[in-house]
Amino acid sequence: MTQTYRITLLPGDGIGPEIMAVAVDVLKAVGRQFDLSFEFQEALIGGAAIDATNSPLPEETLTTCRNSDAVLLAAIGGYKWDTLPRSQRPETGLLGLRAGLGLFANLRPATILPQLIDASSLKREVVEGVDIMVVRELTGGIYFGQPRGVFTMESGEKRGVNTMAYTDSEIDRIGRVAFETARKRQGKLCSVDKANVLEVSQLWRDRMTALAEQYPDVELSHLYVDNAAMQLLRWPKQFDTIVTGNLFGDILSDAAAMLTGSIGMLPSASLGESGPGVFEPVHGSAPDIAGQDKANPLAQVLSAAMMLRYALDQPAAATRIEKAVERVLDQGDRTGDIMSEGKNLLGCRAMGDSLLTALEALAQG
Ligand code: IPM
Ligand code: MG
């Protein structure tokens, strides 16, 4: 019997609509191959939502997302909206979506594909075989802590304030996701904090250490965030799974992504306790190349694969998509961001067509 899934599409801004179109074509194609049917509902977020409704996250979008099985998001933001007050910025829409759906766990894999080793800015021997999963806490920490704001003091001087705060239970729930994730991988978990300076980090470290007793099969280590940044560049293969707070995770996941050559290759999953997850590329909306058919759609396509695996429990269809990505790379197809000598430079749409051909060939066996 055909399985039907309700998927909310949030194409957003910049290159978002172009890469989303490719991912939708790919989903439809694997759907035909695996007898899955998708009911796609498009909704507004970010700058596109600001232009249409004055809000970066209209209530209707949240409702549509809540009523779906999973959410596929492209990217938000652009120069045009950068000067608006914070409540009307595209980023506020994304943060509202994460908070509104309770997506506290953000899984960001950084896996180097053998075909792209030469696209990395680091030496082959440093990056070959890198396979890291960053588990980033996504609805707490300094992104959401109170008090926050810019306040005028008695002297008339202004003071900007944000608060990095974590409770026991917030640390424990992201810790459990991280230990479970590490258990399914190589069984190594590195918790990253700044416990030499920050009280909130000391609590983080204490809770992670306590939690480790429940996961005797996982080897837990701790690093300060500055050292972790250095170690990621020095010898990334020492890492298997990393767990960290919202801000450190934002920074380290970009660094980890770049090890793989291009941030244009990496998907992510944001998951809550229950309800639909959001699947999105790690990269942004790249307004500088928007509308020029130059974007790399592969992170978006791989996000759709992650959605099939984590949200819809369709691992075979997910693997099919991942195989198609490998196949087009094996053929030498490249978008500009991962281009190297002797390869075929393709635009976003042509890369999509090549994926569809690869999917067809894989189905034939
Ligand atoms: C990310 C982005 C977002 C973040 C921005 C766009 C709000 O950088 O998903 O990593 O800081 O979380
Ligand atoms: Mg970021």
Side-chain angles (χ1 to χ4, degrees), residues 24-306:
V24 166
D25 284 346
V26 165
L27 278 171
K28 286 182 183 159
V30 287
R32 283 190 294 273
Q33 297 181 0
F34 289 86
D35 208 13
L36 315 172
S37 113
F38 301 104
E39 280 171 18
F40 295 112
Q41 255 303 3
E42 212 172 289
L44 292 167
I45 192 169
I50 296 169
D51 288 349
T53 71
N54 273 323
S55 155
L57 182 67
E59 196 50 46
E60 200 188 324
T61 295
L62 257 186
T63 310
T64 308
C65 290
R66 287 200 180 106
N67 290 332
S68 58
D69 295 307
V71 179
L72 191 61
L73 168 69
I76 51 110
Y79 315 123
K80 182 175 166 193
W81 306 283
D82 274 353
T83 49
L84 290 172
R86 186 151 306 279
S87 65
Q88 286 168 41
R89 294 266 290 266
E91 289 78 5
T92 305
L94 180 57
L95 297 175
L97 180 72
R98 291 171 179 171
L101 297 178
L103 307 172
F104 68 89
N106 184 211
L107 272 50
R108 297 190 163 185
T111 312
I112 182 128
L113 294 166
Q115 299 90 341
L116 295 183
I117 286 181
D118 295 320
S120 176
S121 53
L122 298 182
K123 292 194 197 103
R124 172 176 280 269
E125 61 266 30
V126 175
V127 292
E128 197 162 32
V130 162
D131 181 3
I132 299 171
M133 178 70 86
V134 178
V135 180
R136 169 189 177 194
E137 199 290 326
L138 204 58
T139 51
I142 197 165
Y143 273 54
F144 291 92
Q146 293 291 343
R148 66 183 296 161
V150 176
F151 304 98
T152 308
M153 302 189 294
E154 264 172 38
S155 66
E157 198 181 11
K158 290 207 206 70
R159 185 164 179 265
V161 180
N162 289 92
T163 303
M164 190 185 281
Y166 275 114
T167 60
D168 288 345
S169 54
E170 284 175 317
I171 300 168
D172 290 356
R173 69 178 180 180
I174 190 69
R176 278 191 290 271
V177 170
F179 277 101
E180 299 285 347
T181 304
R183 177 175 267 177
K184 288 187 213 130
R185 293 171 44 88
Q186 302 301 312
K188 275 175 60 186
L189 179 63
C190 179
S191 171
V192 173
D193 61 39
K194 190 70 187 171
N196 50 345
V197 178
L198 304 176
E199 284 79 1
V200 54
S201 278
Q202 188 60 55
L203 180 65
W204 178 282
R205 189 174 281 223
D206 294 346
R207 299 303 294 194
M208 288 294 166
T209 305
L211 216 48
E213 281 173 34
Q214 295 167 36
Y215 300 88
D217 50 324
V218 176
E219 181 197 319
L220 175 70
S221 61
H222 304 273
L223 281 182
Y224 299 136
V225 62
D226 49 349
N227 188 14
M230 183 174 70
Q231 297 299 334
L232 264 177
L233 299 181
R234 190 184 70 83
W235 195 243
K237 274 179 265 193
Q238 69 188 284
F239 294 105
D240 170 33
T241 308
I242 293 175
V243 63
T244 189
N246 208 339
L247 179 63
F248 301 155
D250 179 45
I251 299 166
L252 292 181
S253 62
D254 268 28
M258 202 57 217
L259 297 172
T260 69
S262 171
I263 199 167
M265 292 301 300
L266 297 177
S268 78
S270 303
L271 309 169
E273 218 83 69
S274 61
V278 172
F279 299 81
E280 59 174 309
V282 170
H283 64 70
S285 59
D288 52 321
I289 57 163
Q292 299 172 35
D293 195 34
K294 285 184 182 162
N296 181 351
L298 295 179
Q300 185 73 58
V301 166
L302 291 170
S303 299
M306 254 186 133

Side-chain angles (χ1 to χ4, degrees), residues 18 22 291-295 297 346-354:
E18 303 164 51
V22 171
Q292 299 172 35
D293 195 34
K294 285 184 182 162
L346 298 185
C348 181
R349 249 175 292 141
M351 184 59 104
D353 291 341
S354 185

